[in-house]
Amino acid sequence: MRACEAAPDYQRFHERSFALRTRAGLASALLKALYAMVLSSGIQAEAQVLVEPKDRVPRLALVVGVPSYNHYDDRPSMELDAREISKTVTDAGFTYLREPRDTRYGSLILEFRALRQQLDAADQTAIVFFYFGGHGFSKDGYEFLVPSDANPADLVGSSISLDYVLDTIFPRRGGALIVVLNKCRTTAPSGSEMSVVPRTARAARREAPQSSPMNDAWTNSKSLADLVIQYSTRPNSSARAKLTANESLSPYGLAFSLLAPARDKELQRVLLEVQLHVKQLTSLRSGQQPQLPELSRPLGLGELYLFPTADTWARDRDSWERVRNNAVASDLEGFVREHPDSQFLSTALELLAGLGQEVRP
């Protein structure tokens, strides 16, 4: 199976950009092209200081990069991608961060369960970030992540379905789940037939009958939290591990690491910029189709900021002031949906409970 806003000041942003691109071993022409794209993207540096409110929603992250496989082509760029993305989420205030080195099936399942335990300890209210970089595929409407020990004789059964991941680590009481999948979305190789629903999907369906990542039953049951999924490529397409043999970062890993640390910029806007830059990077390679990431936000809820600033929290406070005086259940529930990372989220949930409004578990 083959490999399928700016920093606090302008100078610092470009220093980080240059360091990442140099580490990636990009050719001179590509360095110049990317530099020009960053300049033309309209990113303006802002001298803003990140502010941590007293009652910030817990932030938890699981970053998985699978650089080597027992039976499939290795993807060494995934290790450096994961390292850079871990730095980004740490800078963004994710206090629980796991970056497992053991990427076998059983070990990854244990990582998902451990993250679920952390969510339960946080009363299921949190901002959760999950990144996977490695082999993957699509089969019969399911998306799969391929662990390092996947068995070619039973690829579907020895891989992890996205359905299982979403159902296991979703913050069910409030907050958001951000999923970034740097993997291929081509069909499973012939001979890996899905005669039965894979075991990880069966486990998820025991918890949420008739669940599927995108169907109405699944989204309605968890409507108090937001869900954001970015795929590094569109359906039926491969995700490139590198642009050239001399590079270390993947096109998606490079674009995310450069653009995600944007201050006071809503997450959806950041991810759309990442999509554009991946397309531009991969378009520089003549004779190849550009890689086109895809953003899915099935719940279409509120505003999320990886790097909020004092201005972000001031707007959050203004929104809360408009809601709290009325204490109407519908307004409070709307606030929870529209402000998943609000410093007033727990207060809003407590008021909902006091009004007798059931908060879906």
Side-chain angles (χ1 to χ4, degrees):
M1 176 176 169
R2 296 195 175 276
C4 344
E5 189 101 317
D9 61 73
Y10 203 44
Q11 181 179 358
R12 182 181 168 190
F13 174 82
H14 288 297
E15 287 174 353
R16 172 172 168 77
S17 169
F18 180 78
L20 283 170
R21 287 174 287 165
T22 301
R23 231 179 304 168
L26 297 172
S28 175
L30 184 57
L31 281 169
K32 293 177 181 178
L34 179 59
Y35 186 79
M37 285 189 290
V38 172
L39 286 176
S40 64
S41 66
I43 298 176
Q44 299 297 322
E46 299 177 3
Q48 294 179 323
V49 178
L50 298 184
V51 176
E52 294 290 336
K54 179 181 178 181
D55 298 319
R56 189 173 188 179
V57 175
R59 291 188 157 202
L60 317 174
L62 175 59
V63 177
V64 178
V66 188
S68 60
Y69 283 85
N70 294 349
H71 303 290
Y72 298 107
D73 292 347
D74 292 342
R75 292 174 67 88
S77 61
M78 297 298 106
E79 184 173 14
L80 184 54
D81 281 0
R83 193 180 309 156
E84 295 297 337
I85 288 170
S86 291
K87 290 178 183 176
T88 299
V89 297
T90 299
D91 292 344
F94 285 77
T95 54
Y96 174 92
L97 170 63
R98 292 285 298 168
E99 188 183 351
R101 295 291 182 265
D102 188 345
T103 55
R104 294 174 296 175
Y105 178 96
S107 297
L108 291 181
I109 293 297
L110 291 177
E111 291 289 348
F112 292 127
R113 291 176 180 172
L115 182 51
R116 177 76 256 164
Q117 291 176 352
Q118 291 290 323
L119 282 169
D120 292 341
D123 200 20
Q124 303 190 44
T125 303
I127 303 298
V128 180
F129 179 91
F130 171 62
Y131 170 85
F132 177 85
H135 283 303
F137 62 94
S138 302
K139 182 71 171 175
D140 295 346
Y142 289 89
E143 295 284 345
F144 289 91
L145 321 179
V146 180
S148 60
D149 60 345
N151 181 3
D154 184 20
L155 179 58
V156 170
S158 60
S159 296
I160 300 173
S161 73
L162 178 59
D163 188 47
Y164 171 81
V165 173
L166 296 181
D167 216 81
T168 302
I169 65 174
F170 198 93
R172 298 182 179 122
R173 190 163 179 254
L177 171 59
I178 305 162
V179 177
V180 174
L181 301 176
N182 191 3
K183 72 176 191 70
C184 295
R185 301 179 70 190
T186 50
T187 57
S190 60
S192 300
E193 298 300 329
M194 185 190 291
S195 56
V196 296
V197 176
R199 53 181 169 173
T200 54
R202 288 204 305 272
R205 289 191 172 194
R206 282 196 295 270
E207 299 176 20
Q210 300 181 346
S211 69
S212 174
M214 297 301 137
N215 74 12
D216 291 340
W218 192 90
T219 56
N220 288 340
S221 69
K222 302 173 176 64
S223 59
L224 283 182
D226 203 352
L227 173 64
V228 181
I229 304 175
Q230 184 162 59
Y231 303 93
S232 65
T233 191
R234 61 185 174 182
N236 303 313
S237 300
S238 297
R240 298 179 199 173
K242 299 179 181 181
L243 283 174
T244 69
N246 295 326
E247 292 158 14
S248 300
L249 286 172
S250 72
Y252 184 89
L254 176 60
F256 187 92
S257 299
L258 285 172
L259 298 171
R263 271 46 174 168
D264 196 30
K265 182 178 285 189
E266 208 278 324
L267 177 65
Q268 182 162 316
R269 181 182 169 191
V270 171
L271 295 180
L272 289 173
E273 289 181 356
V274 170
Q275 290 186 182
L276 175 62
H277 280 263
V278 171
K279 179 182 177 181
Q280 291 174 327
L281 277 171
T282 54
S283 296
L284 296 174
R285 299 290 294 170
S286 60
Q288 296 185 16
Q289 290 295 321
Q291 181 176 322
L292 304 175
E294 182 181 67
L295 179 62
S296 174
R297 202 166 187 181
L299 304 184
L301 298 180
E303 295 185 351
L304 275 168
Y305 296 83
L306 279 182
F307 287 85
T309 65
D311 289 344
T312 315
W313 297 123
R315 293 194 302 271
D316 177 48
R317 180 177 294 276
D318 290 343
S319 298
W320 173 242
E321 292 292 338
R322 290 194 295 269
V323 170
R324 72 168 183 170
N325 293 330
N326 294 330
V328 177
S330 59
D331 291 344
L332 288 168
E333 188 165 321
F335 180 85
V336 170
R337 290 194 182 103
E338 294 166 13
H339 301 272
D341 196 21
S342 172
Q343 57 193 309
F344 306 104
L345 183 63
S346 59
T347 304
L349 289 169
E350 290 172 3
L351 287 175
L352 274 172
L355 292 172
Q357 180 74 15
E358 180 182 359
V359 178
R360 299 179 185 87

